Amino acid sequence: MADNDWKKRLGVVFSTNPDFVYEQEEDQQEETLEPCRQNLIVSIDRKGRAGKQVTLVKGFVGREDDLAELGRTLKVKCGVGGSAKDGEIAIQGDFRDRVVDLLKSMGYKAKRGN
């Protein structure tokens, strides 16, 4: 009965077929591109953060685990906190130049935004 959980089927039309078995589509994560094929944009953002500056790295194509690992590396190298989710990395503070240099040294194509 665990494979027939109703919460996973919200928004699905009811079937009168007694032999019907609902099959969920598996979430396919994109394969992570090698660093030389990644085009990353490093910019700064202050909106919705109470005036605090945050360095954003956008344009990463790949799995969430690889994004988190890259974010962890950048946070350690900059010595600050941050997060990596929804395809972007947020580093606390204005570290645009340092992050661009770090990404280029790792083999990524990175350019500075605003």
Side-chain angles (χ1 to χ4, degrees):
M1 198 59 161
D3 61 348
N4 200 13
D5 187 18
W6 66 271
K7 293 178 185 177
K8 295 179 183 174
R9 295 182 286 134
L10 289 176
V12 176
V13 178
F14 180 75
S15 174
T16 57
N17 183 358
D19 297 327
F20 178 77
V21 176
Y22 180 72
E23 296 176 7
Q24 290 180 320
E25 294 180 15
E26 296 294 323
D27 292 334
Q28 297 292 334
Q29 290 188 349
E30 296 182 42
E31 287 298 316
T32 303
L33 296 177
E34 56 267 8
C36 63
R37 294 183 58 206
Q38 297 272 4
N39 292 318
L40 303 178
I41 308 290
V42 180
S43 61
I44 194 163
D45 188 27
R46 292 181 193 90
K47 294 181 183 175
R49 301 180 192 333
K52 308 277 184 182
Q53 296 179 344
V54 174
T55 303
L56 292 178
V57 180
K58 297 181 183 178
F60 186 84
V61 177
R63 297 188 348 235
E64 288 292 322
D65 296 339
D66 297 329
L67 177 71
E69 183 63 33
L70 179 62
R72 189 175 306 113
T73 302
L74 292 175
K75 290 187 296 185
V76 167
K77 298 277 186 179
C78 292
V80 294
S83 65
K85 58 185 172 184
D86 299 330
E88 68 180 23
I89 300 170
I91 308 270
Q92 295 174 352
D94 186 4
F95 292 98
R96 288 176 287 185
D97 296 327
R98 186 182 297 176
V99 169
V100 168
D101 292 339
L102 288 170
L103 289 171
K104 285 184 179 180
S105 69
M106 291 182 212
Y108 289 93
K109 283 193 251 178
K111 61 182 174 179
R112 186 176 172 185
N114 57 354

